[in-house]
Amino acid sequence: MRPLSLAAGVQAPAAASLKGVQMRYYATAGRKQIVAEIEGGENHRYVVTIDGQRYELDWAQIRPGAASMMIGERSHSLHHEEEGDEISVYLRSQPFLVDVASEQRFRLRRLTSKFEIEGRQVVAAPMPGKVIRVMVALGDEVREGQGLVVVEAMKMENELKSPKAGKIVELPAQEGATVEKNARLAVVE
Amino acid sequence: MGQKIRKVLVANRGEIAVRVMRTCRELGISTVAVFSEADRLALHVRAADEAYCVGPAPSRESYLAQDRIIDAAKRSKADAIHPGYGFLSENSSFVRACDKAGLTFIGPPASAMEAMGEKTRARAHMARANVPLVPGSTEPLPSVEAARAYAEKIGYPVMLKAAGGGGGKGMRRLNSAQELESGWRAAKSESLNAFGNDAIYIEKLIERPRHVEIQVFADSHGTCIHLNERECSAQRRHQKVIEETPSPIVDARLRQAMGQVAVKAAKAVRYLGAGTVEFLVDAQRNFYFLEMNTRLQVEHPITEWVTGLDLVAWQVKVAEGMKLPLDRPISPRGHAIEARIYAEDPARGFLPSPGRIKQLCASAGHFVRDDSGVYEGYTVTSHYDPMISKLSAWAPSRPEAIARLACALDQYVVTGLTTNIPYLRSILRHPAFAAGAYDTGLLEREHAALLGMASEAPPLPAVMAAFVVAHQRDQQRAGASRRFDGVCAPSPWRQVSRRRRPRP
């Protein structure tokens, strides 16, 4: 007689082997928010629970940044890079940016985010290049969307606009200067 | 000319320098690279037998510095220079400098370059050779009044074009006389900025044209043949993105007609080596001469796929004075298609995204070719064109070739910077492209749709993988605390202090 199958599909066959830490995570993927409980165990096995659905994952790290992930019997070859709280997951060549935070970090971010929206806004260089025009002066009142600085890179001009209405309180950008990526060009308050 | 070439200096960088060196190696020819101070770690330096630094990062002080490149050729005792595409490849004064220094320039003579270099001069040459031209002025127009009179004569819509130009700069579409004055001013100033020459001429606008070009090859013994067409209508801002051959709209008869005209055009300027005659094709399949590119094209691999030839090897042999091994066209075998992979972000106006390539897994597989100019760990700089690679595929039929390239793009993983791979994938999936019914306006008209297709929400496996990576990261950061705290997650405050403390 065949032994009784405990569960079909992807459910963990031997939950006892998973002794580890259970943590709750919040992910923002596109416009959706997904909450998951994740329990990590031995032999690279994980149980992820999303909306009451349990998935068993077998994770094999091929090398830093590259893994083979099996969800049940489904095989996924993927690459990943961490960028702060965001994680880029490449399913084949298609990148997906997922913002993942543990429960504590998620709460902390909700508390601090209010201040960031209203506070000082730094306009930074999106890429290395040369400042070819500064269109405002220190102390100027600017509208939201008003062009502040033009940076040229790879023969392309990029006009950087004010993210909010306010006053220019810092203006490190100088015409003709070469700037690195993320260099501060102007601060609007 | 007429001597065996033993050592070639490649006056270029990136994938084309690497590709030229590969053939040289196969031919038993030594290779010399030149590089700027920003390119010490570039792939073409590693691919060459010798390498000479020719100046600082800006191109005009290094890759465009003729004296320094000629000097490097002399120091390395190279006997020939291959210019690749771009940079000095269509600069006739450089060809003359090579001649003067006793170096073989692997390309056409300066005279042919000059005849085709300036657009109105090229049009005049072509008109004399009875090559069909888009109706327009053969001379630059002296004034806005002259432009108005000419536009009235050929009828709106018209295009204003820079005589010294290319690449879409200094071009303006005018739908009516009201737009003339501002369009004229804009085209003039753009053209002056881009090419140092504000001469403008007018052409009749061809609605929804296709861009089809013919590869030609000429030797020094009077033989000139064509090697079929390439369809390059998948363009954005006049920059080719995907190319294929044969063209979905070219049949054997049209191929023969266009091929004959292209050969006539090349012969009219006493061409030598590899060249490309570009045509616009209208909805009724009338074709008009656009321009001639007097160099090896970026998209030459697809011609190599369907002809089985090595065009760089032919360039070298023709420069050595050999006769072409063929005197008639070759029918294309199967179908080839190429996509240009760039470090750029289509969602942000194709803004270049230089940076370090953290991981690179190039595609392999049968009938897939990767002409790459980078490697894992390489930093794409903001000084030069951000092309990473040209990925091409061959198959017996067009649908199979598209499917093969699509799979190859799916497998091509570049992490650490943004690439246009998902965008390229979307083009291949677009119904108009799949049907072969596209013109040079497709990518612009369908821009939003193509971006939408490329930026779908993460599927569940991606989200799950992100959870695992985040979990592993937090476990690692928590380190010892996990052992003491059991099921409790680590405190974020502790994580912060832990990160600040130097590791033992």
Side-chain angles (χ1 to χ4, degrees), chain B residues 451-467:
Chain B
L451 279 189
M453 285 161 85
S455 65
E456 46 193 80
L460 200 58
V463 178
M464 293 225 240
F467 282 135

Side-chain angles (χ1 to χ4, degrees), chain B residues 210-335:
Chain B
R210 296 180 73 119
H211 176 120
V212 180
E213 59 188 29
I214 300 281
Q215 175 74 52
V216 294
F217 232 104
D219 67 16
S220 50
H221 303 274
T223 303
C224 181
I225 61 166
H226 78 84
L227 295 171
N228 309 317
E229 80 282 5
R230 289 183 292 255
E231 164 75 64
C232 309
S233 299
Q235 310 184 342
R236 60 166 198 86
R237 292 187 211 142
H238 306 278
Q239 235 192 58
K240 297 162 190 167
V241 178
I242 289 181
E243 304 97 352
E244 61 178 319
T245 182
S247 163
I249 55 147
V250 174
D251 56 15
R253 241 176 86 190
L254 184 58
R255 179 172 303 124
Q256 195 192 5
M258 292 178 79
Q260 275 173 359
V261 167
V263 166
K264 201 157 69 177
K267 281 188 167 167
V269 296
R270 296 171 187 279
Y271 202 73
L272 182 70
T276 296
V277 183
E278 298 187 332
F279 295 99
L280 286 182
V281 182
D282 69 16
Q284 290 73 43
R285 297 207 209 172
N286 298 306
F287 59 91
Y288 307 95
F289 173 83
L290 192 61
E291 60 179 328
M292 181 167 185
N293 296 131
T294 55
R295 54 169 155 82
L296 189 68
Q297 297 277 87
V298 177
E299 59 274 21
H300 74 277
I302 56 172
T303 296
E304 297 185 324
W305 271 123
V306 297
T307 58
L309 301 170
D310 178 337
L311 296 192
V312 174
W314 269 30
Q315 284 189 299
V316 171
K317 285 174 183 163
V318 162
E320 286 177 335
M322 278 176 58
K323 237 176 125 39
L324 286 178
L326 299 164
D327 56 2
R328 63 183 62 218
I330 314 174
S331 298
R333 184 177 162 271
H335 198 97

Side-chain angles (χ1 to χ4, degrees), chain A residues 39 45 48 127:
Chain A
E39 193 179 342
R45 296 174 95 82
V48 178
M127 56 181 299

Side-chain angles (χ1 to χ4, degrees), chain A residues 21 42 44 55 72 84 98 118 136 139 143 146 153 168 180 186-187:
Chain A
V21 190
E42 285 167 351
H44 320 291
Y55 301 90
V98 188
E118 289 170 9
V136 289
R143 297 182 317 277
Q146 183 177 339
I168 303 288
E180 290 303 310
V187 179

Side-chain angles (χ1 to χ4, degrees), chain B residues 434-451:
Chain B
Y438 61 106
D439 59 77
T440 55
L442 176 80
L443 299 194
E444 240 141 275
R445 282 196 304 274
E446 296 294 313
H447 184 65
L450 291 169
L451 279 189

Side-chain angles (χ1 to χ4, degrees), chain A residues 21 25 36 46 57 59 63 65 69 76 79 81-82 84 87 90-94 96 104 126-127 154 158, chain B residues 348 351-352 358-359 361 376 381-382 409-410 412 414-415 454 461 467-468 471-475 482 489:
Chain A
V21 190
Y25 279 92
Y46 295 84
L57 261 62
W59 181 277
R63 58 169 187 170
M69 178 179 73
H76 300 274
H79 292 76
E81 297 291 347
E82 284 177 44
I87 291 163
Y90 295 74
L91 292 181
R92 299 178 189 273
S93 60
Q94 173 87 53
F96 295 101
Q104 291 89 336
M127 56 181 299
M154 291 181 180
N158 296 291
Chain B
R348 295 170 67 195
L351 190 70
K358 290 187 189 157
Q359 300 187 71
C361 297
E376 189 168 285
T381 81
S382 56
L409 282 168
D410 276 350
Y412 208 105
V414 185
T415 77
F467 282 135
V468 172
H471 184 72
Q472 287 178 341
R473 173 193 67 195
D474 293 348
Q475 294 291 293
R482 185 181 56 177

Side-chain angles (χ1 to χ4, degrees), chain B residues 62-83:
Chain B
S62 48
Y63 295 106
L64 292 173
Q66 301 188 15
D67 307 352
R68 293 180 194 171
I69 288 168
I70 301 264
D71 183 56
K74 284 182 179 160
R75 280 195 288 155
S76 64
K77 300 195 167 57
D79 35 35
I81 292 187
H82 193 298

